[in-house]
Amino acid sequence: MKDDLIYTKTPAGEDAVQERTRLVQRNLRMVLILVDGVVNVAGLKQEVGDSAMVESALAELERLGLIESPEAAKARDASEIETLPVLDTITVIGPEPVEIPLVQADTVFDEETAVQVQVASKYAPAPPLGARDSAKDQRRSPLTDISGWWEATRKERAQAKEEAIYEAAYGKDAVEAIDARPPGSPPGVTLVFRWSWLVIGAIGLAALALLTLVLFPYDNYRPEFEQRLSQALGDDAKIGEVRLAFTPYPAIVLDRVSVGADPYITANQIQLLPEFGSIFGPRYREVVVDGARVKEAGLGRFSKWFLPAGMGDAAVGRLEISGLAVDVAGGSIESLRGSARIDDAHGLSKLVLRVKEGDLRVEVTPGPTGVGLSLSATGWTAPFRPELLFSFLEMRGELVPGHLTISSIDGRLYDGSLNGDGLITWAQEPTLTLKLNFQRLAADKLLPALGAEPAVDGAASGKLQVSAKAVAVQRLDRDLRMDGSFSIERGSLKRIDLAEAIRSPQQTTLRGGTTHFQEFSGTFSADAHSVRFSGLRMSSGLMRVAGQVTLSRQDGTLTGRVGMEMRGSATAARSAVTISGSAREPDIRISRGG
């Protein structure tokens, strides 16, 4: 598979991203989400960190018809192009049939011929069904029809004007017509004056209409707009002012809007963009909300918005949001933006928000008591401690007043993966509980992210339970307690050489070096004060190590004791090792036994 190949999602692939149960394999779903028509295969491999998995996933997704290459997309588009018939002449049906030959683009018609073609086209039969231009869609917009009608009318009026002038100059009533004109007036000047006054009158009417739009007392309609908005949202709505805006597009503007008797949502401004031909609605192609703030108590009320029962003859096509802030768990999430889908049967069915372009995407689904959340991100750093960097993250849950239930977490970070679930509550005493499984995380990358010395490298797997209690949700990450087990394969222990300690009987205290191992495992417990490792087991060739170590998080000092055994063909050498110093510069003191 070529690394410079760029895949795009097919319509079936877009549907599969929205429907989680349609594609349950985690690796296929992850790669499908990352495919965006911009990043090539090499970029996908770099993001995921597993080239073989990316290639096999892309091949399977292409086989399932969920993604396609540029060549496949071009072939699909080409198959939809219809062949146009080639015509030599056009037969015009009028008083007498006339055949008009088709000419090249550079042929110049005189005015008489142009008028004949314009008149003839009025009686021309409709083109056969299926005939369309392969370079440009032949569907005509209302503006195109109006332009054609105006051009035909202009030419007919010009022809009528010329005929009137000709009749006035050379017809049988020419003398009477000339005597009736003012002295020195050229033929047809009376007709020109009449058209001038008509143009001036049209301009005046347009100016009057514009002044009417500008000076119209729109705020007199504020009670009517409040009633419509209250019915659409299923709750009491208040509007500070109603006015009309012309830039960047004509819209009805509602200033200082609040929803709810005890307002759970406020907005600086709501713009209503009516459908073409209507300024007061009630059908709006788009509603733009700016500067809104949502309180936690109103999370369950969004499910009542835009329900058919309250809309009547009104309709909203799309909802755009900018500058959104959400007050939740005693804090605030700022600067959100996004768009919402309005379903004709279910009202506000889904709201898609972004914190940062290409960074974090949140889908919000209103429910009767709260909102469902679906979060996805690439290259995202967690905004709390520890600040873990996820190359990919997908999380699902439900947010209701007082707690957040996390039903699933799936992510890739530090060359490995992480999955689990959890619960965060803040109705009374804020608490956090997470149950996580991790596989093959790079220990030398993970430890610095956790604020620890990179004393070990290798692929770490295990289980982790995180819990915390605090006076506020914002302080939960400052008082975390973590308990779990780990196993590291094919790594090394930095700044300690246990094998050298056994080989050098004359030395009783050692510093520095490296201990390579095939497997290193144990359990751990960490809080704000210390990290305790117990049940430690290490195998390194003929050497076996067992013991426990405690690391102080206040000053970084180490204390611990381990036993070592080096087995030979006939005998076994045993030593007891006391560990002290710090994680950056550990000291080992050796005492020997038989």
Side-chain angles (χ1 to χ4, degrees):
M1 183 175 292
K2 296 181 179 180
D3 284 349
D4 60 350
L5 202 59
I6 298 176
Y7 283 96
T8 58
K9 294 185 186 73
T10 65
E14 295 287 355
D15 293 340
V17 171
Q18 302 298 328
E19 302 173 14
R20 181 176 175 86
T21 57
R22 183 169 176 178
L23 193 63
V24 296
Q25 296 184 35
R26 188 187 309 158
N27 59 335
L28 294 183
R29 179 173 178 81
M30 177 186 67
V31 174
L32 178 61
I33 292 175
L34 293 178
V35 169
D36 58 1
V38 177
V39 180
N40 57 20
V41 173
L44 294 175
K45 291 178 180 179
Q46 185 176 0
E47 284 192 34
V48 175
D50 190 337
S51 300
M53 188 272 282
V54 170
E55 289 196 3
S56 63
L58 290 174
E60 179 65 14
L61 291 171
E62 188 173 18
R63 186 187 69 79
L64 294 173
L66 302 181
I67 63 173
E68 60 185 357
S69 62
E71 292 76 10
K74 290 179 181 178
R76 177 168 56 80
D77 294 339
S79 66
E80 299 176 356
I81 298 178
E82 301 180 17
T83 305
L84 293 175
V86 179
L87 301 178
D88 296 328
T89 62
I90 297 177
T91 301
V92 179
I93 300 176
E96 294 182 4
V98 178
E99 288 191 354
I100 300 176
L102 296 179
V103 297
Q104 300 299 323
D106 56 354
T107 301
V108 179
F109 290 102
D110 57 21
E111 184 173 359
E112 180 179 0
T113 306
V115 172
Q116 289 176 353
V117 173
Q118 180 66 38
V119 174
S121 65
K122 180 178 181 181
Y123 300 97
L129 293 176
R132 62 177 63 177
D133 190 341
S134 60
K136 182 178 181 182
D137 194 348
Q138 292 298 311
R139 291 174 294 181
R140 300 171 63 87
S141 69
L143 291 178
T144 304
D145 294 336
I146 293 172
S147 176
W149 169 81
W150 176 258
E151 183 66 19
T153 303
R154 186 188 66 79
K155 289 184 178 180
E156 290 176 358
R157 288 175 176 172
Q159 185 178 6
K161 176 181 176 181
E162 291 177 2
E163 291 177 354
I165 294 174
Y166 180 85
E167 183 69 23
Y170 302 105
K172 58 184 178 180
D173 299 323
V175 176
E176 290 81 1
I178 293 174
D179 291 341
R181 300 187 194 105
S185 298
V189 70
T190 304
L191 184 62
V192 173
F193 284 148
R194 290 177 181 174
W195 275 105
S196 299
W197 281 110
L198 287 176
V199 171
I200 293 173
I203 295 175
L205 288 175
L208 181 62
L210 181 61
L211 287 174
T212 301
L213 287 174
V214 173
L215 301 177
F216 188 83
Y218 295 99
D219 201 51
N220 292 345
Y221 287 85
R222 180 158 51 90
E224 180 179 346
F225 277 101
E226 287 181 340
Q227 181 182 5
R228 288 185 186 180
L229 190 59
S230 299
Q231 291 175 346
L233 303 184
D235 215 332
D236 185 35
K238 297 296 182 183
I239 303 171
E241 181 184 3
V242 178
R243 57 188 176 87
L244 181 67
F246 292 94
T247 58
Y249 27 68
I252 296 294
V253 179
L254 313 179
D255 289 326
R256 303 184 304 281
V257 179
S258 63
V259 182
D262 181 13
Y264 63 90
I265 181 170
T266 57
N268 295 336
Q269 185 181 97
I270 297 178
Q271 296 186 29
L272 309 176
L273 280 62
E275 290 185 349
F276 181 77
S278 171
I279 192 64
F280 284 104
R283 306 185 68 86
Y284 304 98
R285 59 185 175 86
E286 188 172 273
V287 174
V288 181
V289 182
D290 181 61
R293 180 171 292 275
V294 179
K295 293 182 180 180
E296 180 182 335
L299 292 176
R301 304 186 189 183
F302 297 131
S303 59
K304 301 186 298 181
W305 283 22
F306 304 110
L307 292 176
M311 294 297 289
D313 60 345
V316 174
R318 184 178 178 85
L319 184 66
E320 289 288 336
I321 300 172
S322 63
L324 174 65
V326 180
D327 297 331
V328 63
S332 180
I333 304 173
E334 304 281 346
S335 303
L336 298 172
R337 56 185 174 79
S339 59
R341 180 189 304 172
I342 308 298
D343 189 277
D344 291 338
H346 303 95
L348 182 62
S349 60
K350 184 176 292 186
L351 176 65
V352 179
L353 299 174
R354 288 188 179 275
V355 176
K356 182 180 179 183
E357 185 66 32
D359 192 7
L360 180 65
R361 182 177 187 268
V362 182
E363 291 186 0
V364 180
T365 305
T369 59
V371 294
L373 298 178
S374 178
L375 178 150
S376 60
T378 56
W380 181 70
T381 301
F384 46 77
R385 295 187 299 178
E387 297 180 349
L388 301 178
L389 174 60
F390 289 86
S391 58
F392 168 79
L393 176 65
E394 186 177 71
M395 185 184 76
R396 291 181 179 272
E398 182 183 22
L399 176 63
V400 300
H403 68 271
L404 169 64
T405 302
I406 304 173
S407 57
S408 67
I409 301 173
D410 291 293
R412 290 187 64 87
L413 70 165
Y414 307 118
D415 304 334
S417 61
L418 179 74
N419 61 81
D421 53 40
L423 175 67
I424 304 175
T425 65
W426 56 86
Q428 297 179 352
E429 182 181 27
T431 61
L432 164 69
T433 302
L434 291 175
K435 294 181 180 179
L436 305 171
N437 298 315
F438 56 94
Q439 294 85 34
R440 302 192 62 78
L441 298 179
D444 57 333
K445 297 179 181 179
L446 177 63
L447 290 174
L450 296 175
E453 288 291 327
V456 182
D457 63 16
S461 301
K463 297 182 178 182
L464 173 64
Q465 181 166 333
V466 182
S467 59
K469 292 183 179 181
V471 296
V473 172
Q474 293 77 12
R475 299 182 62 88
L476 283 173
D477 60 344
R478 304 181 183 183
D479 193 21
L480 294 176
R481 178 178 179 85
M482 295 182 286
D483 298 278
S485 60
F486 70 93
S487 175
I488 304 177
E489 299 178 356
R490 300 184 181 279
S492 59
L493 191 63
K494 307 294 185 182
R495 305 183 184 94
I496 296 178
D497 189 348
L498 297 176
E500 181 64 23
I502 295 180
R503 290 193 298 265
S504 304
Q506 72 277 11
Q507 295 182 346
T508 59
T509 302
L510 292 176
R511 290 183 179 179
T514 302
T515 302
H516 296 280
F517 56 81
Q518 284 77 44
E519 185 176 2
F520 181 31
S521 62
T523 62
F524 63 90
S525 178
D527 55 27
H529 305 289
S530 62
V531 181
R532 294 171 294 279
F533 297 92
S534 58
L536 297 176
R537 296 287 187 273
M538 179 188 294
S539 61
S540 175
L542 299 177
M543 183 175 65
R544 299 291 184 270
V545 179
Q548 60 183 18
V549 177
T550 299
L551 169 65
S552 172
R553 302 187 70 175
Q554 305 298 322
D555 54 15
T557 57
L558 284 172
T559 57
R561 184 177 179 84
V562 299
M564 298 189 304
E565 180 180 79
M566 181 71 76
R567 292 187 176 275
S569 57
T571 61
R574 295 183 178 86
S575 299
V577 176
T578 302
I579 300 177
S580 59
S582 65
R584 185 180 295 274
E585 294 183 357
D587 294 336
I588 59 174
R589 184 176 298 275
I590 304 165
S591 60
R592 303 187 181 281

